[in-house]
Structure formats: structure tokens, C-alpha cells
Amino acid sequence: MNKDNCFQLGHIAKVHGLHGEVLLVLDVDFPEDYEDLDHVFVEKGNRLVPFMLEHMVPQPNNKFLAKFEEFDQVDQVKPMVGAALFLPLSLLPELKEDQFYYHELVGYSVIDEKLGELGEVKVIYDLETQDLIGMDYQGKEVLIPIQEGILERVDKAEKKVFCRLPEGLLDIYLED
């Protein structure tokens, strides 16, 4: 499986108990959509390796208690702690017309309401404190917060992100 055809579901947070169980943290809006998974892809080095799930029990706060098939001891799962979990893009739930997934924005044009077309979305930074669009502008990376009041709307048909950048944001990145 190739990362380009997948989305990051979450990560393995820690070992639980003595029989090979792990605590998974899912970075999704609706974790209940993933309760019936029978497998996940675990990132090992630069590869995504499929692992079959024996069980996956929901816990509070987007967490799941999980056990991989044929992994019955702590020593077998301990090296996996911190590893990212992936699923194929085809397993993403369908969205309403006005909704989008962050990964879809890569390659879209960024249009500011005052300055017009600024550049292209190169990357999305999914940080713990804030999500950001990484855009190339005049040869420099500019980070745009993905939040209400800044990100106005997304036009999927035109592949454009319309925004209202805070006054002076671009100037910060253009200073030498």
C-alpha cells in the first residue's frame, strides 16, 4: 500500500497489559465510523505494513483498545508504539457538498479576497494545536491557519481555496 493512496487514521499510543494489546489514538472527527475495522496499515520505516485486528474496543476520547492477530506478548508490540496508522482513501466516509478533507486541498489555488491569487497549497500541517495550509508564495513557504474567519470557502470544482488573510501575514514571511 502506498501512502499517497492512504490517509493517516491515528497512531499507536502505548502498550496495554501483558498480552499484546495496544492503545490506539484516532485522529478523526467520528471515531465510531471505524469501530468495525478488521485491519490497519502500520507505518514501519517508509513502508505501510498490513496488520489484522483481533479486536478493537472503543474507549473515551477517540481511543481504542486493540489487539493485532498473532501478537500475544508485550515484547512483540512495544516496538510499534508511536507508529502511525493508515487506511486506504477509499474508506473515508462520503462528505456533503460543502465539506472537504484536508488532503484534498493539496494542489488547490489560494485566493485572498483582497490580494487575489497567491499561490498553490503544497502541504497541510495537521498539528496538535492548529491545522495549517503550507503555500508557496514568492519562493517562500507561507503558513495559513485553517480556521473560521480566515478560510472562507473551498470550491472543489474550481480547485480553489478562498480566504481572508490577517493583515500583515504575508509581510512576516517576506521579511529578510
Side-chain angles (χ1 to χ4, degrees), residues 40-99:
V40 293
F41 290 89
V42 177
E43 185 173 33
K44 290 184 132 197
N46 288 331
R47 295 179 39 221
L48 297 183
V49 181
F51 283 85
M52 300 305 293
L53 288 162
E54 195 171 292
H55 66 257
M56 195 164 142
V57 182
Q59 305 292 305
N61 302 319
N62 286 20
K63 295 178 180 152
F64 283 80
L65 192 58
K67 183 165 183 329
F68 298 114
E69 287 183 5
E70 300 180 24
F71 283 74
D72 300 316
Q73 298 175 17
V74 173
D75 293 344
Q76 291 174 295
V77 292
K78 206 172 199 176
M80 298 168 71
V81 171
L85 305 171
F86 289 84
L87 286 176
L89 289 172
S90 60
L91 293 182
L92 281 171
E94 286 292 319
L95 296 178
K96 296 177 186 167
E97 184 66 30
D98 63 338
Q99 295 177 313

Side-chain angles (χ1 to χ4, degrees), residues 109-119 121 132-137 141-153 161-174:
S109 295
V110 177
I111 314 294
D112 180 66
E113 69 175 9
K114 290 181 182 173
L115 302 171
E117 188 165 342
L118 300 175
V121 177
L132 301 165
I133 289 174
M135 171 190 74
D136 183 46
Y137 180 72
E141 183 181 46
V142 173
L143 302 178
I144 302 170
I146 300 175
Q147 65 185 46
E148 200 173 315
I150 294 177
L151 192 71
E152 295 291 313
R153 68 183 175 89
V161 176
F162 293 90
C163 55
R164 179 184 298 158
L165 294 183
E167 194 71 38
L169 179 71
L170 292 177
D171 297 332
I172 293 169
Y173 292 98
L174 295 178

